[in-house]
Amino acid sequence: MASRIFGDPADWPDQDLIGLSDEFSLPMVIDAYTAGVFPMPLDVAGRQEMGWFSPVERGILPLDELRVTRSLRKMIKRYEVTFDTAFGEVVRRCADPSREGAWIDDRIVDTYTALHIRGLAHSVEARNADGELVGGLYGVAIGGLFAGESMFHDQQRGRDASKTALVALVERLRTAGGPRLLDVQWSTPHLASLGVVEVSRTDYLARLSEALTLPSLTFGP
């Protein structure tokens, strides 16, 4: 599955970072996701470059293997979940520079907002009883792929709110049917506890090729 921009996966280096660029555009991002690649800004010798990643071991969440604990099921009842009602706010909350490991810069915000306008990026929001946004996530959806980008929760008022958004997303994808693919980029102990597993780059690209044959889901309020 050779990419017009990123070439043949057989020629990619045996590492997660497969390339760097000064350029960053909407066509590049769309091509990247359909090729199994995603962008992330990097500081390279004091210069801001765009890194392009295709992890050797990719984190995915099999839709039938999501683990929902009894305590999480109780917390889910506290929130109302919506789709695409506050995309900009979700991205801004995820981009909060005070967060540990913050990486989302203005280029990412602007480009993913453009993707959202085109119907290729979506948010899932979790709101409390007062209607306040206390957690959520956003990602890119093309065909049967949903590539999760980032998630957040309000530490004071949104316990398990981001997990609630994830559960709702999985349910939406699962009920749509077909070999849909929920990509989380890299696994972490936290994500593994929810059912995320790692697959090889080759396996991921095969799953992606199949997922891209499916019709895109309709998200929305």
Side-chain angles (χ1 to χ4, degrees):
M1 186 173 61
S3 157
R4 179 177 61 85
I5 295 175
F6 299 96
D8 191 329
D11 298 326
W12 294 349
D14 188 24
Q15 61 183 35
D16 293 357
L17 177 65
I18 66 164
L20 292 166
S21 70
D22 294 321
E23 182 184 355
F24 183 62
S25 66
L26 195 60
M28 289 180 73
V29 173
I30 294 172
D31 188 82
Y33 282 99
T34 58
V37 180
F38 59 86
M40 183 172 288
L42 292 176
D43 187 309
V44 180
R47 291 183 56 188
Q48 285 298 307
E49 301 273 1
M50 188 58 67
W52 299 95
F53 293 84
S54 182
V56 174
E57 295 294 328
R58 190 76 164 238
I60 66 169
L61 178 52
L63 302 181
D64 291 330
E65 296 181 22
L66 175 67
R67 298 173 191 156
V68 182
T69 63
R70 182 179 299 177
S71 62
L72 177 56
R73 289 190 187 282
K74 291 180 180 179
M75 293 300 296
I76 285 173
K77 297 176 182 179
R78 298 187 180 187
Y79 302 112
E80 177 188 3
V81 177
T82 54
F83 292 81
D84 282 349
T85 65
F87 182 86
E89 188 175 354
V90 169
V91 174
R92 286 193 298 273
R93 298 285 289 276
C94 289
D96 183 350
S98 68
R99 295 181 69 190
E100 182 179 355
W103 59 273
I104 300 171
D105 64 14
D106 290 342
R107 294 174 297 171
I108 294 290
V109 172
D110 292 344
T111 300
Y112 284 75
T113 299
L115 284 171
H116 175 62
I117 292 170
R118 292 188 177 210
L120 297 175
H122 303 278
S123 60
V124 187
E125 306 92 19
R127 301 179 183 276
N128 64 15
D130 295 324
E132 300 171 308
L133 180 65
V134 292
L137 61 86
Y138 78 95
V140 173
I142 302 175
L145 166 71
F146 191 98
E149 283 297 307
S150 187
M151 58 200 309
F152 84 94
H153 72 278
D154 185 304
Q155 294 189 1
Q156 273 70 48
R157 297 171 295 173
R159 178 187 169 192
D160 288 338
S162 58
K163 292 180 182 178
T164 296
L166 179 62
V167 171
L169 173 63
V170 168
E171 183 61 24
R172 176 71 66 94
L173 296 175
R174 183 191 291 131
T175 56
R180 296 187 180 270
L181 178 60
L182 179 49
D183 169 21
V184 301
Q185 301 177 348
W186 287 287
S187 181
T188 65
H190 169 67
L191 290 174
S193 72
L194 295 171
V196 166
V197 298
E198 291 183 332
V199 298
S200 69
R201 178 188 285 167
T202 300
D203 188 356
Y204 175 81
L205 293 176
R207 293 170 186 252
L208 174 63
S209 180
E210 189 175 16
L212 291 176
T213 66
L214 296 176
S216 298
L217 280 181
T218 300
F219 291 85

